[in-house]
Amino acid sequence: MALHSAAVSFCCVSFNPQASLFRQCSIKPSRLSSPSLLRFRIQGKAVESGNGPFEVDDSSLVVCFGEMLIDFVPTTSGLALAEAPAFKKARRGAPANVAVGIARLGGASAFIGKVGEDEFGYMLANILKENNVNNEGMRFDPGARTALAFVTLRKDGEREFMFYRNPSADMLLQEAELDFELIRKAKIFHYGSISLITEPCKSAHIAAAKAAKEAGVILSYDPNLRLPLWPSAESAREGILSIWDTAEIIKISEEEISFLTQGEDPYDDNVVRKLYHENLKLLLVTEGPEGCRYYTKEFSGRVKGLKAEAVDTTGAGDAFVAGILSQLALDTSLLQNEDRLRDALRFANACGALTVMERGAIPALPTRETVLKIIKQTHV
């Protein structure tokens, strides 16, 4: 059977998890690493950097919750999906990208989510392990497949998505499957909004965030708007805002500000301040190569970005989030010191800039040494 969908739509596309195409292509789990072999715990380590050893341990752990999936990207760039002659696979999922990004920077990170008990699912779990991300919180669903997405950047600059996840394993994570011990030991608990779209994952998300909050863990939120995955624009707006007031750190893009405020000017500070709430410690607005804006209760400002020749912008926002969270996990007092916060944001901007210079989100995520080197060279 061939994969098929409505040709005119880039929305959630239904597929049968037991379809013969997937049966023919799959390899029995026994040929792959077993779930028990994929479980491991990060130990404290020292990573060499331009400023000497960078000490991390579980006291600075960032736990990322959400989706991890396989992207199929055209081998020829600049074409619409229907025109692409062939596709190659890539690994994606904003929370997983952030977890890998933090580990690359020498930090301690973990990922909680669900994939299919299939070759792609075990491949993704192994990728996390290879990148020093704690994957103890991953679960494998024998009845649903790992999510797939076909994505391309057309010549006109518009990105097209076609998702195969109805239902995919990430949508089926249940509260009973959560590793609450891992969540409660985190310094920061980071998540997006895609896990809020359907049950049972929505309830699992809310329970995980509640447990983190009760344990004194800082909640970090990147809405990461993906309209094609939501039933409607209004449901997306309501879903994203439903947990808005619980987050203590929020990263948002200019486009997301316009969407959430229903068309208001994302460059107007008064508009942005409407999204600030009393529980928030830091609101960040990313502006691509222009850098970012920051807002706290006491101060606000802008930090210039690094100019970089963009090859692939996929994962740049996730790299930025990894950069700032890796700094905050080590020292949350940055939130009270504007000069030091600005330094941390320069670091985060450099992470994003380096990521766009290479293809693929996870392969392009930089090391701490590389980030410090480009900051020194560019004097940002």
Side-chain angles (χ1 to χ4, degrees):
M1 184 189 100
L3 290 175
H4 62 282
S5 67
V8 297
S9 174
F10 296 102
C11 60
C12 296
V13 182
S14 298
F15 73 100
N16 182 349
Q18 306 303 326
S20 59
L21 171 68
F22 293 104
R23 288 202 302 268
Q24 292 165 6
C25 293
S26 66
I27 296 176
K28 293 181 179 179
S30 60
R31 295 183 58 182
L32 304 164
S33 301
S34 69
S36 62
L37 292 177
L38 294 169
R39 294 170 62 86
F40 76 108
R41 186 177 298 277
I42 292 178
Q43 302 297 324
K45 56 186 176 181
V47 178
E48 291 297 324
S49 73
N51 290 344
F54 181 54
E55 300 290 342
V56 299
D57 55 39
D58 278 350
S59 66
S60 60
L61 178 67
V62 180
V63 173
C64 301
F65 175 95
E67 71 283 354
M68 192 175 190
L69 61 153
I70 300 291
D71 269 358
F72 283 93
V73 184
T75 54
T76 304
S77 59
L79 298 177
L81 287 173
E83 299 169 349
F87 295 83
K88 61 180 179 180
K89 69 178 184 294
R91 309 88 170 173
R92 191 172 67 85
N97 289 345
V98 172
V100 172
I102 290 169
R104 289 266 180 89
L105 295 169
S109 65
F111 174 76
I112 291 178
K114 199 171 193 182
V115 293
E117 194 173 278
D118 52 35
E119 186 176 5
F120 285 150
Y122 288 115
M123 182 189 79
L124 293 174
N126 279 322
I127 287 168
L128 293 179
K129 181 178 179 181
E130 290 163 4
N131 284 279
N132 295 321
V133 176
N134 181 328
N135 64 7
E136 287 183 352
M138 287 192 76
R139 300 294 179 258
F140 300 83
D141 195 313
R145 297 297 187 184
T146 300
L148 307 180
F150 288 79
V151 58
T152 189
L153 188 67
R154 302 187 318 220
K155 289 181 181 178
D156 61 6
E158 289 298 315
R159 187 172 292 179
E160 289 181 352
F161 293 93
M162 186 181 293
F163 294 93
Y164 289 78
R165 61 186 303 269
N166 191 28
S168 53
D170 60 296
M171 302 163 71
L172 302 176
L173 180 67
Q174 300 180 47
E175 180 179 345
E177 296 176 299
L178 294 173
D179 187 335
F180 285 105
E181 180 183 353
L182 183 62
I183 292 168
R184 293 186 182 103
K185 69 187 285 189
K187 187 72 166 287
I188 298 173
F189 183 69
H190 176 73
Y191 47 86
S193 68
I194 291 174
S195 50
L196 295 170
I197 298 174
T198 58
E199 293 288 3
C201 190
K202 178 180 178 179
S203 292
H205 176 132
I206 293 170
K210 183 175 183 289
K213 186 78 170 179
E214 290 174 349
V217 179
I218 296 172
L219 301 186
S220 166
Y221 184 24
D222 176 2
N224 192 34
L225 176 65
R226 290 292 181 266
L227 268 180
L229 292 177
W230 292 85
S232 67
E234 188 55 37
S235 67
R237 191 176 292 108
E238 290 178 1
I240 288 170
L241 293 176
S242 69
I243 61 168
W244 194 263
D245 290 350
T246 62
E248 295 161 281
I249 299 169
I250 295 177
K251 174 264 177 188
I252 193 169
S253 69
E254 301 155 282
E255 294 80 9
E256 288 164 343
I257 293 173
S258 294
F259 175 76
L260 293 176
T261 60
Q262 301 191 57
E264 294 192 55
D265 184 1
Y267 301 99
D268 185 336
D269 280 354
N270 292 323
V271 171
V272 178
R273 282 288 183 184
K274 291 179 183 178
L275 295 172
Y276 205 92
H277 60 79
E278 62 179 14
N279 295 321
L280 202 53
K281 292 182 170 67
L282 177 64
L283 176 63
L284 296 169
V285 180
T286 52
E287 300 179 333
E290 299 306 313
C292 66
R293 282 175 279 162
Y294 59 91
Y295 301 81
T296 73
K297 289 183 177 69
E298 291 80 24
F299 47 76
S300 63
R302 174 181 270 104
V303 177
K304 288 177 58 177
L306 276 70
K307 302 300 181 183
E309 185 175 344
V311 174
D312 181 2
T313 59
T314 304
D318 302 330
F320 173 89
V321 173
I324 188 62
L325 293 187
S326 69
Q327 304 298 300
L328 288 172
L330 292 172
D331 185 3
T332 57
S333 69
L334 293 174
L335 296 169
Q336 285 79 48
N337 186 308
E338 186 171 10
D339 288 339
R340 294 174 61 219
L341 177 62
R342 291 180 62 87
D343 286 341
L345 291 172
R346 290 187 187 95
F347 183 90
N349 283 339
C351 291
L354 286 165
T355 302
V356 306
M357 297 168 67
E358 294 185 38
R359 290 194 181 278
I362 288 180
L365 293 167
T367 63
R368 184 171 184 266
E369 185 175 10
T370 304
V371 175
L372 293 174
K373 183 177 180 180
I374 195 172
I375 289 174
K376 184 176 180 180
Q377 290 174 343
T378 55
H379 305 289
V380 294

